[in-house]
Amino acid sequence: RKEVEQDPGPFNVPEGATVAFNCTYSNSASQSFFWYRQDCRKEPKLLMSVYSSGNEDGRFTAQLNRASQYISLLIRDSKLSDSATYLCVVNTGGFKTIFGAGTRLFVKA
Amino acid sequence: EAGVTQSPTHLIKTRGQQATLRCSPISGHTSVYWYQQALGLGLQFLLWYDEGEERNRGNFPPRFSGRQFPNYSSELNVNALELEDSALYLCASSLEGSMNTEAFFGQGTRLTVV
């Protein structure tokens, strides 16, 4: 089993739709979690950190479920510019940061 | 302020040769991380350097090595290149070594082994 698993997609959604991605992790000692966004042929950039209490940034909401060992990203009112690959990142402390393979999202007009 | 810079942007080598990739972190960042992004495989952790020392390495053979210089810039060396080494190599830096803070990535070096 991979340490961090994501549904590779692609997710094809119309503008304005709500879309959610899940990411599961295998190490229960994992300490911090992030979502990164990677545009085609570009470097990954931090989208948001994921806190135990959940956090929201505009149209984006991130949740952490430690009991079931997954994190989620919800995008509301999708925009064309949201088309990208979304990478789940899990840090287990003492430096071991694992990136998921990414979920591709295509938002269409 | 300059971000993470990597050079070269593209590199073409033949099988068996050696490749050297370079990375300059953001000013003030002491930790540098190297990742390999092969097609369809996502980001695979290669190496972590902090304060000039190798702190951790991923599941890659010893022919992947590197170092960090006193100015915190870093080199990744890949010896005895194989076709499967063709990938985008990304360097990232962060302010703290635990990567609990945001990591900033360079634009990568695309290595092609023919």
Side-chain angles (χ1 to χ4, degrees):
Chain A
R1 181 186 173 188
K2 289 183 181 178
E3 292 185 88
V4 176
E5 291 199 73
Q6 294 183 249
D7 182 342
F11 284 65
N12 293 291
V13 303
E15 270 188 297
T18 295
V19 61
F21 310 135
N22 280 340
C23 167
T24 59
Y25 60 94
S26 61
N27 189 335
S28 59
S30 298
Q31 296 181 0
S32 54
F33 310 87
F34 308 89
W35 284 102
Y36 276 71
R37 170 191 169 131
Q38 186 173 23
D39 292 299
C40 187
R41 303 183 75 83
K42 299 281 190 179
E43 73 278 17
K45 293 184 179 179
L46 180 67
L47 178 65
M48 58 198 305
S49 302
V50 186
Y51 304 120
S52 296
S53 56
N55 49 306
E56 187 173 313
D57 182 4
R59 298 181 293 107
F60 298 83
T61 301
Q63 298 273 356
L64 167 63
N65 186 318
R66 285 193 181 273
S68 300
Q69 295 184 201
Y70 74 87
I71 66 172
S72 64
L73 178 67
L74 180 77
I75 305 175
R76 290 181 298 276
D77 189 22
S78 299
K79 311 290 185 190
L80 294 175
S81 57
D82 294 334
S83 297
T85 296
Y86 291 85
L87 303 167
C88 164
V89 182
V90 177
N91 176 272
T92 58
F95 191 75
K96 187 173 182 183
T97 295
I98 308 297
F99 281 76
T103 297
R104 287 186 298 158
L105 171 66
F106 294 103
V107 181
K108 301 188 176 183
Chain B
E1 180 184 325
V4 178
T5 57
Q6 291 187 243
S7 64
T9 53
H10 293 83
L11 189 58
I12 299 175
K13 293 284 186 178
T14 56
R15 196 167 46 182
Q17 284 190 314
Q18 179 199 32
T20 298
L21 289 61
R22 297 180 176 82
C23 171
S24 292
I26 290 173
S27 178
H29 287 190
T30 62
S31 276
V32 171
Y33 318 87
W34 287 96
Y35 289 86
Q36 181 195 67
Q37 189 173 36
L39 196 62
L41 291 182
L43 282 161
Q44 304 293 317
F45 168 63
L46 269 165
L47 290 158
W48 170 38
Y49 291 96
D50 186 55
E51 298 283 359
E53 294 192 16
E54 182 182 304
R55 301 294 186 183
N56 204 353
R57 65 179 293 129
N59 295 324
F60 281 83
R63 57 190 187 82
F64 286 84
S65 65
R67 54 180 172 168
Q68 186 177 35
F69 299 99
N71 66 354
Y72 303 117
S73 66
S74 177
E75 264 183 10
L76 173 68
N77 295 295
V78 188
N79 295 320
L81 284 165
E82 300 178 1
L83 297 178
E84 307 82 71
D85 297 333
S86 295
L88 179 67
Y89 289 83
L90 288 163
C91 169
S93 74
S94 71
L95 194 56
E96 295 179 7
S98 66
M99 214 179 183
N100 277 316
T101 56
E102 180 178 359
F104 295 84
F105 284 82
Q107 293 195 326
T109 293
R110 190 165 297 278
L111 173 65
T112 302
V113 182
V114 297

